[in-house]
């Protein structure tokens, strides 16, 4: 063993950080250069370049696309607030112990099973076309309204499971300590368990929030004029696919910073946790 | 008026099983007011389970528990009201990690006793001061040493002004050099007249502080008596064996 490790250890010892960076840069250039070369030299590259990567079309369509993104922002901000509340309520209902609460637990379970199983686009279609189609007095038929409802229903099912995992990760001794002081079960949840659970699940909640942002484009199918619908209109007006690229860039600009924030929060939590264990 | 005051705690023929395992097999125990009773015995003898049953954290299978004459294991008793009168301190502290020390101490007075925040905090600070933790009141538990955390947990239980304190091996999770400060706190509670039931592995401490020592073995109290008798002239063979092992381990 030690004979085998000798030369390996020596080789590692010679590698400084500068050498590691140089190797990383070189291997990236080789890989991405090869892929780029293959694409640019594909038989139909000029045609694709013209229809997907037209700088003029990009510049012309971008302002309208960014403006339409405002609708998506409204959608996901309103829906996210509702999702965080509804998801927590469902998670708490599913965590209620004892046989008395069986029907409530069962209902919450059916809800999460149902809305995680049915594709989101179907929920959007069914609510967006189905309910206004009933023509009931007093029921809104605004597609934006039903878009918010559909996204809230679908994402609350996912988010409630995230919350539930958080609640279950809080050690039972915390509830015992709270109850031993005379706090009721609800007070123990409210002041001791849920606050700890929510802190732990912030990174996965942000992850679902990014998913929600992207899924707001699905509501274009029930007639909400948002970023995807506007880029479709641009595409048919200009006979060019570049507006979709502009749309993708807008999403990247929003979700990548959020993804980095999520990573940073997870890393910080991990450090805190490790610091706590080391004590 | 002429009848004697009811015992602070009375446990009668208490049985408790976890599945097929009968952990408590008929416990009878009385603790009078201002008395300090120590429970000793090997791990798994049922000490912790007994304390958790008394605090109603575990439902019991048979028997009864009364506090100051009121049967707390009866049907329909408000467990939240009972727990206010019984403080418990755990081996692993179980402080709330997302709250400062002062918030840990004042949570139950604020939410359960509905004390105004200012009153609860003034009382909390006074208690922390008494146990040398006033300067830690705005720290989070993970910034404290184990001994400080356990003292904070004791203060948290005391803030509810309980009639009875249950201590569940409160020094077992501590580094040896931190045990003394926690035992000091318990001594000062005892000299203040607090009624306590203490499960412990610290035999020297039990000998000093206890008015009575109970030896638990396989779910029953095999032998009880004043510490001098239990530690120097135990009658039961199992007690002798247990203490012999403790002496060999250098713990007495």
């Amino acid at each position: 063993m030690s004979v085998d490790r000798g030369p390996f250890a020596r080789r590692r010892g010679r590698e400084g950080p500068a050498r590691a960076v140089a190797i990383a840069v070189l291997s990236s250039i080789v890989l991405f250069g090869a892929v780029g070369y293959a694409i640019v030299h594909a038989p139909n590259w000029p045609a694709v370049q013209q229809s997907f990567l037209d700088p003029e079309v990009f510049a012309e369509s971008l302002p309208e696309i960014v403006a339409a993104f405002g609708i998506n922002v409204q959608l996901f901000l309103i829906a996210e607030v509702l999702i965080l509340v509804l998801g927590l309520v469902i998670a708490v209902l599913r965590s209620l112990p004892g046989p008395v609460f069986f029907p409530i637990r069962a209902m919450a379970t059916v809800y999460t099973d149902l809305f995680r199983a049915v594709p989101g686009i179907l929920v959007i279609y069914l609510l967006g076309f189905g309910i206004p189609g009933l023509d009931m007095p007093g029921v809104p038929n605004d597609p934006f309204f039903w878009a918010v409802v559909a996204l809230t229903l679908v994402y609350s099912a996912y988010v409630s499971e995230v919350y539930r995992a958080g609640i279950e990760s809080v050690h039972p001794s915390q509830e015992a300590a709270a109850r031993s002081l005379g706090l009721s079960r609800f007070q123990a949840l409210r002041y001791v368990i849920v606050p700890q659970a929510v802190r732990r699940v912030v990174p996965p909640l942000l992850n679902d929030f990014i998913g929600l942002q992207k899924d707001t484009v699905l509501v274009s199918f029930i007639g909400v004029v948002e970023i995807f619908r506007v880029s479709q209109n641009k595409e048919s007006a200009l006979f060019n696919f570049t507006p979709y690229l502009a749309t993708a860039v807008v999403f990247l600009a929003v979700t990548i910073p959020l993804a980095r924030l999520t990573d940073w929060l997870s890393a910080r939590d991990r450090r805190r946790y490790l610091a706590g264990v080391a004590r | 008026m002429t009848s004697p005051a009811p015992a602070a705690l009375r446990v009668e023929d208490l049985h408790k099983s976890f599945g097929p395992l009968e952990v408590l097999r008929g416990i009878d125990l009385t603790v009078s007011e201002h008395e300090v009773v120590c429970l000793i015995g090997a791990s798994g003898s049922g000490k912790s389970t007994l304390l958790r049953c008394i605090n109603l954290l575990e439902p019991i299978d048979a028997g009864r528990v009364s506090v100051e004459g009121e049967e707390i294991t009866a049907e329909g008793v408000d467990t939240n009201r009972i727990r206010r009168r019984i403080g418990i301190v755990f081996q692993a502290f179980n402080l709330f990690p997302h709250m400062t020390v002062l918030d840990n101490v004042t949570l139950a007075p604020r939410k359960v006793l509905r004390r105004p925040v200012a009153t609860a905090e003034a009382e909390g600070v006074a208690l922390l001061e008494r146990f040398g933790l006033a300067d830690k009141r705005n720290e989070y538990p993970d910034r404290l040493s184990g001994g400080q955390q356990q003292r904070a947990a004791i203060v948290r239980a005391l803030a509810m002004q309980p009639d009875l304190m249950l201590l569940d091996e409160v020094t077992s999770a501590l580094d040896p050099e931190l045990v003394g400060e926690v035992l000091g706190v318990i001594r000062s509670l005892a000299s203040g007249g607090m009624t306590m039931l203490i499960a412990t592995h610290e035999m020297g401490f039990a000998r000093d502080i206890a008015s009575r020592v109970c030896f638990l073995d396989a779910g029953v109290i095999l032998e009880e008596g004043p510490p001098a008798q239990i530690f120097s002239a135990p009658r039961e063979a199992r007690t002798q064996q247990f203490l012999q092992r403790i002496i060999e381990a250098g713990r007495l």
Side-chain angles (χ1 to χ4, degrees), chain A residues 172-185 187-189 191-193, chain B residues 57 80 83 90 94 96 107-108 112 156:
Chain A
S173 64
Q174 286 287 310
E175 185 176 2
R179 301 300 306 277
S180 77
L181 290 165
L183 271 72
S184 68
R185 182 164 273 151
Q187 286 175 320
L189 264 176
Y191 299 111
V192 175
I193 296 163
Chain B
L57 286 171
N80 298 331
R83 291 201 187 100
F90 303 93
N94 300 2
F96 307 132
L107 177 71
V112 179
R156 180 175 69 176

Side-chain angles (χ1 to χ4, degrees), chain B residues 36 130-131 154 158 165 167 184-196:
Chain B
V36 176
R130 196 175 130 202
F131 295 103
I154 293 172
L158 287 176
M165 286 278 277
L167 307 184
V185 166
I186 302 169
R187 280 202 175 87
S188 83
L189 289 180
S191 57
M194 177 61 78
T195 312
M196 287 188 282

Side-chain angles (χ1 to χ4, degrees), chain A residues 33-52:
Chain A
V35 172
Y37 183 88
I39 291 175
V40 171
H41 288 80
N44 236 349
W45 167 248
V48 169
Q49 188 184 22
Q50 200 183 12
S51 54
F52 280 90

Side-chain angles (χ1 to χ4, degrees), chain B residues 19 85 95:
Chain B
R85 299 162 55 190
L95 289 171

